Amino acid sequence: MKKFWENFLVEDWVVTVISIPLLLLAGFAYYLPSISIPSNLQTADAWANLGMLFIIALVALFVGNKMLKRPLKGLLRSFIVVFIIATLALWIAKIPIVKFYGFEAVFFSVIFGLIIRNCFKIPEWLKPAIQGEYFIKIGVVCLGATILFRDVMKSGSMGLLQAILVVTIVWFFAYFISRKLGVEKATAMTLSSGVSICGVSACITAARVAHTNDKNLSYVVSVVLIVVVPMIYLMPWLAEQIVPLLTSDPVLQQKIAGAWIGGTIDTTSGVAASSEMAFAEISDLSNKTAVIVKATQNVLIGFVAFFIALYLSTKGEDGKSQRPSLGIVWEKFPKFILGFVAASLVFSLCQSGNIFPDASSSKLVETSLAKTLSQLFFSLAFVCIGLDTRLKDIISKENRKTLYAFLSAQCFNIVITFLIAYLFFGVIGPKFNL
């Protein structure tokens, strides 16, 4: 029996167990004092919020390390430094102009980590809390609670069909072009997930399933967040130039534009900012359609992660295919993804069953806290990744192939998503009154 329980004392299972109280905390958020990332530190409430986030993350780290029998000596002092850097990145990401351009906290987290790593020697006392893999997995499980099936229902059949087609077609094209350009398999899977689904969150989830190394993940995330800036302005301009050539109906114009923008821009904040500019003089229908379509695509993160894991589980140590027995699939499947899927199912069922007190509102307190926790652990993870990465690894010649693959896939994404958006929202939808 002792050996049986020892099988669960590995990082994937420990992360899932550690995430349960975090998700319970999110589930009861309506009855608790507000816990959020402060935009300034000028009030007592802001410091209280910061203190709560520090305690939550510290407990998760200490308990997890204790369960995994990792050294606890020096963990507190090391974590304080990592937490300060991560919260600085989170604070910068909340500045209105930075938020408008779609730059997320993980971008600044990895930049700050890289600067420290490459300008100074990392002292031994700072190393105990540099556990990027551990923090990322907790963040992914918490992210699951923000992926609600309600968002699929909002978009209706047209939005769901578009999401499935776009994600499938763009993912396989991105993977094909990445491999043709010589991008390593795991990185190609991470890149394909980011460009086809929802940018950073999809990259992080896919990277942990595909076992992408941290320097390649950092590079892909950086490319995603840099490319999104010009796209925020490019997409509404393209929509206003092209869509009116196909239909004169202002309602259809906005729906097509919104579906196009929602399916191509790789960050949710970028989608919101960009779609506000499209046909803004008519109404905000473009913005509403874009945000809903984007949310629908986000739901597919878990499905893509599952199929990546299923595919990799059929590969032997030598890379050759082997018969995908249930035993092999279970052995190689990343168990923390089960936590992600379970969180999504439970929170979706609670929302649809009116268990959450504010279930009728457009934004749930419960999922807001889950998102805050996910952002916190992602930011901690990318500080660790930056602190563990040499800058020359990021700017190596090898990464040029990744850049070319991403740009090629994004161009393809723009074209194919436009065709699919026009088909579903401009032709089939109106014909069947959907």
Side-chain angles (χ1 to χ4, degrees), residues 1-145:
M1 182 61 74
K2 184 178 179 181
K3 286 186 176 180
F4 173 78
W5 288 112
E6 284 179 352
N7 292 330
F8 291 92
L9 293 179
V10 294
E11 192 172 78
D12 276 13
W13 281 120
V14 168
V15 160
T16 304
V17 171
I18 292 296
S19 299
I20 291 174
L22 298 178
L23 294 172
L24 286 173
L25 192 66
F28 288 96
Y30 182 82
Y31 303 101
L32 302 173
S34 175
I35 302 175
S36 60
I37 299 164
S39 55
N40 63 68
L41 295 176
Q42 298 176 358
T43 65
D45 285 344
W47 281 100
N49 271 296
L50 199 61
M52 283 300 300
L53 292 173
F54 176 79
I55 292 170
I56 289 169
L58 181 62
V59 170
L61 179 63
F62 261 85
V63 174
N65 275 250
K66 180 69 174 177
M67 293 174 69
L68 292 167
K69 298 180 180 178
R70 293 174 179 171
L72 300 179
K73 185 178 179 181
L75 201 59
L76 175 60
R77 181 168 61 161
S78 174
F79 178 72
I80 290 173
V81 176
V82 173
F83 182 83
I84 290 172
I85 300 169
T87 49
L88 177 62
L90 288 164
W91 174 77
I92 291 175
K94 288 181 74 72
I95 296 173
I97 188 66
V98 175
K99 190 175 181 180
F100 175 79
Y101 282 114
F103 284 103
E104 299 185 24
V106 293
F107 177 75
F108 299 102
S109 297
V110 76
I111 292 297
F112 294 155
L114 282 170
I115 291 172
I116 295 170
R117 169 68 174 82
N118 291 275
C119 293
F120 308 96
K121 178 179 172 59
I122 302 297
E124 288 298 318
W125 63 264
L126 184 54
K127 293 181 179 180
I130 300 178
Q131 300 183 34
E133 183 86 4
Y134 179 79
F135 290 131
I136 279 183
K137 289 177 180 178
I138 294 179
V140 168
V141 177
C142 291
L143 178 68

Side-chain angles (χ1 to χ4, degrees), residues 13 27 76 117 161 169 188 193 204 231 235 267 304 344 417 428:
W13 281 120
L76 175 60
R117 169 68 174 82
L161 287 171
I169 294 171
S193 301
I204 293 171
M231 284 195 65
M235 292 309 300
T267 67
V304 172
S344 180
T417 303
I428 297 176

Side-chain angles (χ1 to χ4, degrees), residues 2-326:
K2 184 178 179 181
K3 286 186 176 180
F4 173 78
W5 288 112
E6 284 179 352
N7 292 330
F8 291 92
L9 293 179
V10 294
E11 192 172 78
D12 276 13
W13 281 120
V14 168
V15 160
T16 304
V17 171
I18 292 296
S19 299
I20 291 174
L22 298 178
L23 294 172
L24 286 173
L25 192 66
F28 288 96
Y30 182 82
Y31 303 101
L32 302 173
S34 175
I35 302 175
S36 60
I37 299 164
S39 55
N40 63 68
L41 295 176
Q42 298 176 358
T43 65
D45 285 344
W47 281 100
N49 271 296
L50 199 61
M52 283 300 300
L53 292 173
F54 176 79
I55 292 170
I56 289 169
L58 181 62
V59 170
L61 179 63
F62 261 85
V63 174
N65 275 250
K66 180 69 174 177
M67 293 174 69
L68 292 167
K69 298 180 180 178
R70 293 174 179 171
L72 300 179
K73 185 178 179 181
L75 201 59
L76 175 60
R77 181 168 61 161
S78 174
F79 178 72
I80 290 173
V81 176
V82 173
F83 182 83
I84 290 172
I85 300 169
T87 49
L88 177 62
L90 288 164
W91 174 77
I92 291 175
K94 288 181 74 72
I95 296 173
I97 188 66
V98 175
K99 190 175 181 180
F100 175 79
Y101 282 114
F103 284 103
E104 299 185 24
V106 293
F107 177 75
F108 299 102
S109 297
V110 76
I111 292 297
F112 294 155
L114 282 170
I115 291 172
I116 295 170
R117 169 68 174 82
N118 291 275
C119 293
F120 308 96
K121 178 179 172 59
I122 302 297
E124 288 298 318
W125 63 264
L126 184 54
K127 293 181 179 180
I130 300 178
Q131 300 183 34
E133 183 86 4
Y134 179 79
F135 290 131
I136 279 183
K137 289 177 180 178
I138 294 179
V140 168
V141 177
C142 291
L143 178 68
T146 71
I147 308 297
L148 300 181
F149 298 135
R150 171 197 64 184
D151 297 324
V152 176
M153 303 309 295
K154 273 186 178 181
S155 68
S157 55
M158 295 299 99
L160 178 58
L161 287 171
Q162 174 180 316
I164 293 172
L165 272 179
V166 166
V167 169
T168 303
I169 294 171
V170 174
W171 196 97
F172 280 105
F173 176 85
Y175 183 75
F176 170 78
I177 198 69
S178 297
R179 296 295 286 154
K180 278 290 183 183
L181 291 172
V183 177
E184 180 261 337
K185 182 185 292 184
T187 304
M189 290 180 173
T190 299
L191 182 154
S192 302
S193 301
V195 76
S196 65
I197 308 175
C198 64
V200 174
S201 298
C203 283
I204 293 171
T205 305
R208 296 286 66 86
V209 176
H211 306 293
T212 307
N213 67 54
D214 286 343
K215 67 181 179 66
N216 288 345
L217 173 59
S218 299
Y219 184 78
V220 173
V221 166
S222 300
V223 170
V224 167
L225 292 172
I226 291 170
V227 171
V228 79
V229 175
M231 284 195 65
I232 287 174
Y233 297 95
L234 172 66
M235 292 309 300
W237 179 81
L238 278 178
E240 292 188 347
Q241 299 304 309
I242 297 174
V243 175
L245 300 177
L246 303 174
T247 177
S248 58
D249 186 329
V251 173
L252 293 185
Q253 287 177 357
Q254 293 175 84
K255 285 186 176 181
I256 295 168
W260 191 15
I261 292 170
T264 50
I265 293 181
D266 291 324
T267 67
T268 303
S269 56
V271 166
S274 181
S275 57
E276 281 184 353
M277 304 178 202
F279 299 103
E281 69 282 356
I282 302 176
S283 76
D284 63 349
L285 183 57
S286 294
N287 179 252
K288 291 179 179 177
T289 304
V291 171
I292 290 172
V293 166
K294 188 63 176 176
T296 305
Q297 282 192 194
N298 292 352
V299 174
L300 299 178
I301 296 175
F303 292 97
V304 172
F306 174 79
F307 283 111
I308 290 174
L310 186 62
Y311 167 75
L312 292 176
S313 71
T314 66
K315 296 295 179 183
E317 298 299 325
D318 57 358
K320 294 181 179 179
S321 297
Q322 59 185 1
R323 191 172 182 178
S325 68
L326 287 176

